Short mmCIF file of all heavy atoms in Angstrom, two decimals:
data_model
loop_
_atom_site.label_atom_id
_atom_site.label_comp_id
_atom_site.label_asym_id
_atom_site.label_seq_id
_atom_site.Cartn_x
_atom_site.Cartn_y
_atom_site.Cartn_z
N PHE F 160 10.91 -53.96 -28.94
CA PHE F 160 10.93 -55.43 -28.83
C PHE F 160 10.59 -56.12 -30.07
O PHE F 160 10.53 -57.35 -30.18
CB PHE F 160 10.04 -55.88 -27.66
CG PHE F 160 10.52 -55.45 -26.31
CD1 PHE F 160 9.79 -54.52 -25.59
CD2 PHE F 160 11.66 -56.02 -25.76
CE1 PHE F 160 10.20 -54.13 -24.33
CE2 PHE F 160 12.09 -55.64 -24.47
CZ PHE F 160 11.33 -54.70 -23.78
N ASP F 161 10.17 -55.37 -31.09
CA ASP F 161 9.82 -56.00 -32.41
C ASP F 161 10.25 -54.97 -33.53
O ASP F 161 10.62 -53.86 -33.20
CB ASP F 161 8.37 -56.32 -32.52
CG ASP F 161 7.35 -55.17 -32.37
OD1 ASP F 161 7.68 -54.07 -32.82
OD2 ASP F 161 6.28 -55.40 -31.85
N ALA F 162 10.11 -55.46 -34.75
CA ALA F 162 10.61 -54.67 -35.91
C ALA F 162 9.82 -53.34 -36.02
O ALA F 162 10.44 -52.33 -36.44
CB ALA F 162 10.57 -55.48 -37.19
N SER F 163 8.52 -53.34 -35.80
CA SER F 163 7.82 -52.08 -35.97
C SER F 163 8.20 -51.04 -34.87
O SER F 163 8.28 -49.86 -35.19
CB SER F 163 6.33 -52.34 -35.95
OG SER F 163 5.88 -52.89 -34.70
N ASP F 164 8.48 -51.52 -33.67
CA ASP F 164 8.99 -50.64 -32.61
C ASP F 164 10.36 -50.06 -33.01
O ASP F 164 10.64 -48.92 -32.82
CB ASP F 164 9.13 -51.27 -31.26
CG ASP F 164 7.81 -51.72 -30.70
OD1 ASP F 164 6.73 -51.18 -31.06
OD2 ASP F 164 7.82 -52.58 -29.71
N LEU F 165 11.17 -50.91 -33.56
CA LEU F 165 12.50 -50.49 -33.96
C LEU F 165 12.49 -49.48 -35.09
O LEU F 165 13.35 -48.54 -35.10
CB LEU F 165 13.35 -51.72 -34.43
CG LEU F 165 14.79 -51.46 -34.78
CD1 LEU F 165 15.55 -50.89 -33.55
CD2 LEU F 165 15.44 -52.70 -35.33
N GLN F 166 11.47 -49.53 -35.94
CA GLN F 166 11.31 -48.51 -37.01
C GLN F 166 11.16 -47.12 -36.40
O GLN F 166 11.66 -46.14 -36.87
CB GLN F 166 10.20 -48.84 -37.97
CG GLN F 166 10.17 -47.97 -39.16
CD GLN F 166 11.43 -48.00 -39.93
OE1 GLN F 166 11.97 -48.99 -40.27
NE2 GLN F 166 11.95 -46.82 -40.25
N VAL F 167 10.42 -47.02 -35.29
CA VAL F 167 10.21 -45.72 -34.62
C VAL F 167 11.56 -45.20 -34.12
O VAL F 167 11.96 -44.07 -34.35
CB VAL F 167 9.23 -45.86 -33.47
CG1 VAL F 167 9.15 -44.52 -32.65
CG2 VAL F 167 7.87 -46.29 -33.99
N ILE F 168 12.36 -46.05 -33.46
CA ILE F 168 13.66 -45.67 -32.96
C ILE F 168 14.58 -45.29 -34.15
O ILE F 168 15.27 -44.27 -34.09
CB ILE F 168 14.34 -46.78 -32.10
CG1 ILE F 168 13.56 -46.84 -30.78
CG2 ILE F 168 15.78 -46.52 -31.90
CD1 ILE F 168 14.04 -48.06 -29.84
N SER F 169 14.52 -46.03 -35.21
CA SER F 169 15.35 -45.72 -36.43
C SER F 169 15.01 -44.34 -36.87
O SER F 169 15.93 -43.59 -37.27
CB SER F 169 15.05 -46.79 -37.52
OG SER F 169 15.81 -46.47 -38.63
N THR F 170 13.71 -43.96 -36.96
CA THR F 170 13.38 -42.67 -37.39
C THR F 170 13.95 -41.59 -36.50
O THR F 170 14.40 -40.56 -37.01
CB THR F 170 11.85 -42.54 -37.46
OG1 THR F 170 11.31 -43.50 -38.37
CG2 THR F 170 11.37 -41.13 -37.87
N MET F 171 13.95 -41.83 -35.18
CA MET F 171 14.43 -40.82 -34.28
C MET F 171 15.96 -40.67 -34.26
O MET F 171 16.47 -39.64 -33.85
CB MET F 171 14.01 -41.17 -32.83
CG MET F 171 12.49 -41.03 -32.59
SD MET F 171 11.92 -39.34 -32.70
CE MET F 171 11.15 -39.38 -34.30
N VAL F 172 16.67 -41.68 -34.77
CA VAL F 172 18.15 -41.60 -34.81
C VAL F 172 18.69 -41.31 -36.19
O VAL F 172 19.88 -41.23 -36.34
CB VAL F 172 18.86 -42.83 -34.16
CG1 VAL F 172 18.48 -42.94 -32.70
CG2 VAL F 172 18.59 -44.07 -34.95
N GLN F 173 17.82 -41.20 -37.16
CA GLN F 173 18.26 -40.86 -38.46
C GLN F 173 19.04 -39.51 -38.40
O GLN F 173 18.58 -38.57 -37.79
CB GLN F 173 17.12 -40.70 -39.49
CG GLN F 173 17.60 -40.45 -40.87
CD GLN F 173 16.43 -40.33 -41.85
OE1 GLN F 173 15.29 -40.30 -41.51
NE2 GLN F 173 16.77 -40.21 -43.13
N ASP F 174 20.20 -39.49 -39.03
CA ASP F 174 21.04 -38.39 -39.06
C ASP F 174 21.81 -38.11 -37.77
O ASP F 174 22.43 -37.01 -37.54
CB ASP F 174 20.40 -37.06 -39.55
CG ASP F 174 19.78 -37.21 -40.92
OD1 ASP F 174 20.55 -37.62 -41.80
OD2 ASP F 174 18.54 -37.02 -41.11
N ALA F 175 21.72 -39.00 -36.81
CA ALA F 175 22.48 -38.86 -35.56
C ALA F 175 23.95 -39.06 -35.92
O ALA F 175 24.27 -39.84 -36.88
CB ALA F 175 22.05 -39.86 -34.54
N ILE F 176 24.82 -38.39 -35.11
CA ILE F 176 26.25 -38.59 -35.36
C ILE F 176 26.86 -39.02 -34.07
O ILE F 176 26.42 -38.73 -32.95
CB ILE F 176 26.94 -37.26 -35.89
CG1 ILE F 176 26.64 -36.11 -34.93
CG2 ILE F 176 26.47 -36.99 -37.30
CD1 ILE F 176 27.35 -34.84 -35.32
N SER F 177 28.00 -39.77 -34.22
CA SER F 177 28.70 -40.33 -33.09
C SER F 177 30.17 -40.45 -33.38
O SER F 177 30.47 -41.14 -34.35
CB SER F 177 28.09 -41.65 -32.70
OG SER F 177 28.82 -42.22 -31.62
N PRO F 178 31.03 -39.97 -32.58
CA PRO F 178 32.44 -40.28 -32.74
C PRO F 178 32.62 -41.76 -32.53
O PRO F 178 31.98 -42.37 -31.60
CB PRO F 178 33.16 -39.47 -31.66
CG PRO F 178 32.17 -38.42 -31.25
CD PRO F 178 30.78 -38.97 -31.47
N VAL F 179 33.48 -42.44 -33.31
CA VAL F 179 33.68 -43.85 -33.13
C VAL F 179 34.12 -44.21 -31.73
O VAL F 179 33.89 -45.27 -31.22
CB VAL F 179 34.57 -44.41 -34.27
CG1 VAL F 179 36.06 -44.05 -34.01
CG2 VAL F 179 34.43 -45.90 -34.44
N ALA F 180 34.80 -43.22 -31.07
CA ALA F 180 35.27 -43.44 -29.69
C ALA F 180 34.12 -43.62 -28.75
O ALA F 180 34.31 -44.12 -27.61
CB ALA F 180 36.16 -42.26 -29.30
N ASP F 181 32.93 -43.13 -29.13
CA ASP F 181 31.73 -43.26 -28.21
C ASP F 181 30.88 -44.45 -28.56
O ASP F 181 29.70 -44.50 -28.20
CB ASP F 181 30.88 -41.95 -28.31
CG ASP F 181 31.56 -40.80 -27.70
OD1 ASP F 181 32.48 -40.99 -26.87
OD2 ASP F 181 31.18 -39.68 -27.97
N VAL F 182 31.41 -45.41 -29.26
CA VAL F 182 30.78 -46.66 -29.60
C VAL F 182 31.44 -47.76 -28.78
O VAL F 182 32.64 -47.86 -28.72
CB VAL F 182 30.88 -46.99 -31.09
CG1 VAL F 182 30.27 -48.33 -31.45
CG2 VAL F 182 30.23 -45.91 -31.96
N SER F 183 30.60 -48.55 -28.06
CA SER F 183 31.18 -49.50 -27.11
C SER F 183 30.50 -50.86 -27.24
O SER F 183 29.25 -51.01 -27.19
CB SER F 183 30.95 -48.93 -25.70
OG SER F 183 31.41 -49.88 -24.71
N TRP F 184 31.32 -51.91 -27.37
CA TRP F 184 30.88 -53.28 -27.38
C TRP F 184 31.27 -53.88 -26.04
O TRP F 184 32.43 -54.09 -25.75
CB TRP F 184 31.47 -54.06 -28.54
CG TRP F 184 31.43 -55.56 -28.52
CD1 TRP F 184 32.45 -56.40 -28.81
CD2 TRP F 184 30.34 -56.45 -28.19
NE1 TRP F 184 32.12 -57.68 -28.70
CE2 TRP F 184 30.79 -57.76 -28.33
CE3 TRP F 184 29.04 -56.21 -27.84
CZ2 TRP F 184 29.95 -58.87 -28.08
CZ3 TRP F 184 28.19 -57.31 -27.59
CH2 TRP F 184 28.67 -58.64 -27.74
N ARG F 185 30.29 -54.09 -25.18
CA ARG F 185 30.51 -54.60 -23.84
C ARG F 185 30.15 -56.14 -23.86
O ARG F 185 29.01 -56.49 -23.51
CB ARG F 185 29.65 -53.84 -22.81
CG ARG F 185 29.98 -52.38 -22.80
CD ARG F 185 29.07 -51.57 -21.87
NE ARG F 185 29.42 -50.18 -21.97
CZ ARG F 185 28.76 -49.30 -21.28
NH1 ARG F 185 27.73 -49.60 -20.55
NH2 ARG F 185 29.15 -48.00 -21.41
N SER F 186 31.10 -56.86 -24.29
CA SER F 186 30.76 -58.34 -24.56
C SER F 186 30.38 -59.06 -23.26
O SER F 186 29.48 -59.91 -23.35
CB SER F 186 32.02 -59.03 -25.20
OG SER F 186 33.13 -58.90 -24.31
N HIS F 187 30.99 -58.71 -22.14
CA HIS F 187 30.66 -59.40 -20.88
C HIS F 187 29.19 -59.05 -20.47
O HIS F 187 28.57 -59.81 -19.74
CB HIS F 187 31.66 -58.99 -19.78
CG HIS F 187 31.66 -57.55 -19.44
ND1 HIS F 187 32.29 -56.63 -20.28
CD2 HIS F 187 31.13 -56.86 -18.44
CE1 HIS F 187 32.13 -55.45 -19.77
NE2 HIS F 187 31.48 -55.56 -18.64
N GLU F 188 28.64 -57.94 -20.92
CA GLU F 188 27.25 -57.55 -20.63
C GLU F 188 26.29 -57.88 -21.80
O GLU F 188 25.11 -57.68 -21.70
CB GLU F 188 27.14 -56.07 -20.36
CG GLU F 188 27.90 -55.56 -19.18
CD GLU F 188 27.88 -54.09 -19.02
OE1 GLU F 188 26.91 -53.43 -19.53
OE2 GLU F 188 28.75 -53.53 -18.33
N ARG F 189 26.90 -58.31 -22.90
CA ARG F 189 26.17 -58.63 -24.12
C ARG F 189 25.39 -57.35 -24.61
O ARG F 189 24.22 -57.49 -24.98
CB ARG F 189 25.26 -59.82 -23.94
CG ARG F 189 26.05 -61.10 -23.69
CD ARG F 189 25.18 -62.29 -23.40
NE ARG F 189 23.79 -62.23 -23.70
CZ ARG F 189 23.08 -63.11 -24.37
NH1 ARG F 189 23.72 -64.15 -24.84
NH2 ARG F 189 21.82 -62.95 -24.58
N ARG F 190 26.03 -56.24 -24.55
CA ARG F 190 25.44 -54.96 -24.88
C ARG F 190 26.30 -54.19 -25.82
O ARG F 190 27.49 -54.10 -25.64
CB ARG F 190 25.27 -54.17 -23.55
CG ARG F 190 24.62 -52.79 -23.79
CD ARG F 190 24.41 -52.11 -22.46
NE ARG F 190 23.37 -52.82 -21.72
CZ ARG F 190 23.42 -53.11 -20.40
NH1 ARG F 190 24.45 -52.70 -19.71
NH2 ARG F 190 22.45 -53.75 -19.82
N PHE F 191 25.66 -53.57 -26.79
CA PHE F 191 26.35 -52.71 -27.74
C PHE F 191 25.75 -51.31 -27.63
O PHE F 191 24.54 -51.17 -27.72
CB PHE F 191 26.20 -53.20 -29.20
CG PHE F 191 26.96 -52.50 -30.21
CD1 PHE F 191 28.37 -52.78 -30.39
CD2 PHE F 191 26.45 -51.41 -30.94
CE1 PHE F 191 29.10 -52.06 -31.33
CE2 PHE F 191 27.19 -50.73 -31.91
CZ PHE F 191 28.48 -51.04 -32.10
N VAL F 192 26.58 -50.30 -27.35
CA VAL F 192 26.06 -48.96 -26.98
C VAL F 192 26.72 -47.94 -27.85
O VAL F 192 27.94 -47.94 -28.10
CB VAL F 192 26.35 -48.69 -25.50
CG1 VAL F 192 25.80 -47.30 -25.12
CG2 VAL F 192 25.74 -49.74 -24.60
N LEU F 193 25.93 -46.98 -28.31
CA LEU F 193 26.39 -45.80 -29.01
C LEU F 193 25.91 -44.55 -28.27
O LEU F 193 24.72 -44.45 -27.92
CB LEU F 193 25.86 -45.71 -30.43
CG LEU F 193 26.20 -46.82 -31.36
CD1 LEU F 193 25.06 -47.86 -31.45
CD2 LEU F 193 26.50 -46.31 -32.73
N LEU F 194 26.83 -43.61 -27.99
CA LEU F 194 26.48 -42.30 -27.51
C LEU F 194 26.31 -41.38 -28.72
O LEU F 194 27.29 -41.16 -29.45
CB LEU F 194 27.53 -41.75 -26.53
CG LEU F 194 27.22 -40.34 -25.99
CD1 LEU F 194 25.92 -40.30 -25.18
CD2 LEU F 194 28.41 -39.89 -25.13
N LEU F 195 25.12 -40.92 -28.96
CA LEU F 195 24.78 -40.19 -30.19
C LEU F 195 24.48 -38.70 -29.90
O LEU F 195 24.04 -38.37 -28.81
CB LEU F 195 23.50 -40.73 -30.78
CG LEU F 195 23.43 -42.21 -31.08
CD1 LEU F 195 22.00 -42.61 -31.47
CD2 LEU F 195 24.41 -42.62 -32.17
N ASN F 196 24.75 -37.91 -30.94
CA ASN F 196 24.21 -36.57 -30.96
C ASN F 196 23.07 -36.63 -31.99
O ASN F 196 23.31 -36.58 -33.17
CB ASN F 196 25.29 -35.59 -31.36
CG ASN F 196 26.39 -35.47 -30.36
OD1 ASN F 196 26.16 -34.99 -29.27
ND2 ASN F 196 27.59 -35.92 -30.67
N ARG F 197 21.86 -36.79 -31.47
CA ARG F 197 20.78 -37.02 -32.40
C ARG F 197 19.98 -35.79 -32.69
O ARG F 197 19.85 -34.93 -31.85
CB ARG F 197 19.87 -38.15 -31.83
CG ARG F 197 18.72 -37.80 -31.10
CD ARG F 197 17.79 -38.89 -30.67
NE ARG F 197 16.88 -38.32 -29.68
CZ ARG F 197 15.87 -37.56 -30.00
NH1 ARG F 197 15.49 -37.34 -31.26
NH2 ARG F 197 15.14 -36.97 -29.01
N PHE F 198 19.56 -35.69 -33.95
CA PHE F 198 18.69 -34.58 -34.33
C PHE F 198 17.32 -34.79 -33.75
O PHE F 198 16.79 -35.89 -33.78
CB PHE F 198 18.60 -34.47 -35.89
CG PHE F 198 17.91 -33.20 -36.33
CD1 PHE F 198 18.62 -32.00 -36.37
CD2 PHE F 198 16.60 -33.21 -36.62
CE1 PHE F 198 17.97 -30.85 -36.72
CE2 PHE F 198 15.92 -32.06 -37.00
CZ PHE F 198 16.62 -30.85 -36.97
N ARG F 199 16.70 -33.72 -33.23
CA ARG F 199 15.42 -33.85 -32.60
C ARG F 199 14.35 -33.79 -33.62
O ARG F 199 13.68 -32.69 -33.80
CB ARG F 199 15.25 -32.80 -31.45
CG ARG F 199 16.20 -33.04 -30.37
CD ARG F 199 15.94 -32.14 -29.19
NE ARG F 199 14.71 -32.50 -28.54
CZ ARG F 199 13.86 -31.63 -28.08
NH1 ARG F 199 14.04 -30.32 -28.18
NH2 ARG F 199 12.80 -32.06 -27.52
N TRP F 200 14.01 -34.84 -34.27
CA TRP F 200 12.97 -34.89 -35.32
C TRP F 200 11.56 -34.63 -34.72
O TRP F 200 10.63 -34.32 -35.43
CB TRP F 200 13.00 -36.26 -36.07
CG TRP F 200 14.18 -36.41 -36.95
CD1 TRP F 200 15.23 -37.21 -36.76
CD2 TRP F 200 14.44 -35.65 -38.14
NE1 TRP F 200 16.15 -37.07 -37.79
CE2 TRP F 200 15.67 -36.12 -38.62
CE3 TRP F 200 13.76 -34.65 -38.84
CZ2 TRP F 200 16.25 -35.59 -39.80
CZ3 TRP F 200 14.36 -34.19 -40.01
CH2 TRP F 200 15.58 -34.67 -40.48
N GLU F 201 11.42 -34.85 -33.41
CA GLU F 201 10.10 -34.72 -32.83
C GLU F 201 9.65 -33.28 -32.63
O GLU F 201 8.43 -33.05 -32.30
CB GLU F 201 10.08 -35.44 -31.43
CG GLU F 201 10.95 -34.86 -30.36
CD GLU F 201 12.36 -35.39 -30.38
OE1 GLU F 201 12.87 -35.85 -31.38
OE2 GLU F 201 13.00 -35.29 -29.34
N ILE F 202 10.52 -32.31 -32.86
CA ILE F 202 10.05 -30.91 -32.76
C ILE F 202 9.58 -30.42 -34.11
O ILE F 202 10.13 -30.84 -35.12
CB ILE F 202 11.12 -29.98 -32.10
CG1 ILE F 202 12.38 -29.94 -32.95
CG2 ILE F 202 11.46 -30.41 -30.68
CD1 ILE F 202 13.44 -28.97 -32.45
N PRO F 203 8.59 -29.51 -34.13
CA PRO F 203 8.05 -29.06 -35.42
C PRO F 203 9.14 -28.38 -36.31
O PRO F 203 10.07 -27.82 -35.81
CB PRO F 203 7.00 -28.03 -34.98
CG PRO F 203 6.64 -28.40 -33.64
CD PRO F 203 7.88 -28.98 -33.02
N GLN F 204 8.97 -28.47 -37.66
CA GLN F 204 9.90 -27.96 -38.61
C GLN F 204 10.15 -26.48 -38.46
O GLN F 204 11.16 -26.00 -38.77
CB GLN F 204 9.44 -28.26 -40.01
CG GLN F 204 9.76 -29.67 -40.44
CD GLN F 204 9.57 -29.81 -41.94
OE1 GLN F 204 9.28 -28.89 -42.61
NE2 GLN F 204 9.79 -31.06 -42.40
N SER F 205 9.16 -25.74 -37.93
CA SER F 205 9.30 -24.24 -37.85
C SER F 205 10.20 -23.87 -36.74
O SER F 205 10.67 -22.70 -36.67
CB SER F 205 7.91 -23.60 -37.72
OG SER F 205 7.36 -24.05 -36.55
N ASP F 206 10.49 -24.77 -35.80
CA ASP F 206 11.29 -24.39 -34.62
C ASP F 206 12.79 -24.49 -35.02
O ASP F 206 13.23 -24.88 -36.09
CB ASP F 206 11.05 -25.33 -33.47
CG ASP F 206 9.71 -25.09 -32.85
OD1 ASP F 206 9.20 -23.92 -32.90
OD2 ASP F 206 9.11 -26.05 -32.33
N VAL F 207 13.65 -24.05 -34.04
CA VAL F 207 15.09 -24.07 -34.29
C VAL F 207 15.56 -25.52 -34.39
O VAL F 207 14.98 -26.45 -33.84
CB VAL F 207 15.74 -23.36 -33.08
CG1 VAL F 207 15.55 -24.10 -31.81
CG2 VAL F 207 17.22 -23.16 -33.30
#
């Protein structure tokens, strides 16, 4: 709900990939949605 919270989300989606076909602008809902394949930055570096 604020810029500092958004920075956390930004960190979690860095290097995420999405086919452009999985990006949706739902104007009637006023919602913009991306289906991402996000890298799991939250797991330790030594893991897979």
Side-chain angles (χ1 to χ4, degrees):
F160 293 110
D161 62 35
S163 62
D164 292 342
L165 185 60
Q166 188 57 50
V167 173
I168 290 177
S169 178
T170 299
M171 291 295 104
V172 299
Q173 182 179 8
D174 300 308
I176 55 175
S177 177
V179 75
D181 290 342
V182 176
S183 176
W184 163 225
R185 300 175 181 177
S186 60
H187 61 285
E188 297 176 22
R189 295 175 16 130
R190 179 177 293 136
F191 187 82
V192 180
L193 299 98
L194 178 61
L195 306 171
N196 293 295
R197 94 174 168 80
F198 188 81
R199 294 188 70 219
W200 289 110
E201 66 272 24
I202 61 175
Q204 281 192 2
S205 60
D206 290 331
V207 65

